[in-house]
Amino acid sequence: MALLPRLRQLMRRPSSASRVGARRPTKASRRGDTLHEDALRSMLSDDPNNERAFQALAEIVRRRATEQVHEEDPLTAPNVEHERERAAELAVWALGEELAGNPRAWYPLIELARLSVDDDHDGTIRRLTTASERDASGTALAQALALLCEAGQPVEALNLGVGHWRPREHDPAVARQLVRAAVQAGRPLEAKQHLASLDLYPDQGRIAGLRAELTREVARAEQSITGT
């Protein structure tokens, strides 16, 4: 079952079934995990975009969620691993939604988009757009474009990038992702235009290597289209 339909199904159940991501003190709880989780949550409270802290906390909630799926019935044993993976995804989803409520948070939105990219196109674009708007550095935008390209949606990446990229201010990594999205979409001329926009970046020495790298990629794309 796709993630979002599964989420909606869980939301229609009694509330106790939809708290897979919540911390539940039990006799079986690992004290080390509890202390680690508290420390990670404190770090994420200070910086909701701390990727390492998010991934470490996500691993904890994933493991806790999978441990709550038991092989009670031998007839359902073949489905246990699937249910554990689904429970883990739901736990990370709950964590991402919790942290995304912080108006400074953009990384949790990227992770939510990653979970929804296969079955909720509009929601994914909305989350990536919000993430890009919350981050002035351009890092969120670069990650959003990469996610869409990895999902086979380079045109959507181009639409998002063109609407939000600020070449003078943003991390040059955005240019890399835009050029590659244009190449992936079969638009080498557009890739060339994005490459030319790097002229606006104030520190040209810093991006000399990136420019050379992307120039080669654009040239290869043009050659593949012309057949020369």
Side-chain angles (χ1 to χ4, degrees), residues 49-199:
N49 304 309
N50 185 323
E51 297 183 31
R52 293 181 65 182
F54 182 97
Q55 293 300 333
L57 183 54
E59 182 57 32
I60 290 175
V61 300
R62 283 178 63 89
R63 184 170 67 246
R64 182 179 298 121
T66 59
E67 289 172 350
Q68 291 170 0
V69 178
H70 302 293
E71 298 182 34
E72 296 177 351
D73 184 350
L75 296 178
T76 64
N79 297 320
V80 168
E81 285 307 313
H82 174 76
E83 287 302 314
R84 285 177 174 165
E85 180 58 29
R86 186 60 58 201
E89 289 181 353
L90 292 171
V92 176
W93 180 276
L95 174 63
E97 283 202 322
E98 173 191 341
L99 296 173
N102 187 321
R104 295 182 292 118
W106 58 263
Y107 184 74
L109 287 166
I110 297 289
E111 289 303 309
L112 288 173
R114 197 181 309 280
L115 289 170
S116 66
V117 69
D118 291 331
D119 55 15
D120 182 11
H121 177 267
D122 291 343
T124 295
I125 297 300
R126 184 173 63 254
R127 294 177 190 103
L128 294 178
T129 298
T130 301
S132 300
E133 291 171 348
R134 286 181 175 182
D135 173 39
S137 74
T139 302
L141 180 57
Q143 292 194 21
L145 302 183
L147 189 159
L148 290 171
C149 286
E150 289 167 5
Q153 300 179 30
V155 174
E156 287 81 353
L158 290 170
N159 292 338
L160 177 63
V162 169
H164 291 83
W165 185 31
R166 299 193 297 273
R168 294 180 185 276
E169 306 165 26
H170 279 167
D171 187 323
V174 177
R176 175 185 283 113
Q177 298 303 331
L178 269 176
V179 168
R180 290 180 175 174
V183 168
Q184 185 177 337
R187 301 179 181 180
L189 291 179
E190 188 171 342
K192 209 167 187 176
Q193 292 171 352
H194 294 316
L195 176 58
S197 294
L198 279 174
D199 291 343

Side-chain angles (χ1 to χ4, degrees), residues 23-71:
R23 189 162 53 138
R24 303 178 183 180
T26 68
K27 293 181 180 179
S29 294
R30 297 185 178 91
R31 177 171 174 77
D33 265 7
T34 300
L35 294 175
H36 192 198
E37 178 178 350
D38 289 342
L40 291 169
R41 286 185 178 277
S42 178
M43 294 170 65
L44 287 165
S45 177
D46 293 336
D47 177 10
N49 304 309
N50 185 323
E51 297 183 31
R52 293 181 65 182
F54 182 97
Q55 293 300 333
L57 183 54
E59 182 57 32
I60 290 175
V61 300
R62 283 178 63 89
R63 184 170 67 246
R64 182 179 298 121
T66 59
E67 289 172 350
Q68 291 170 0
V69 178
H70 302 293
E71 298 182 34

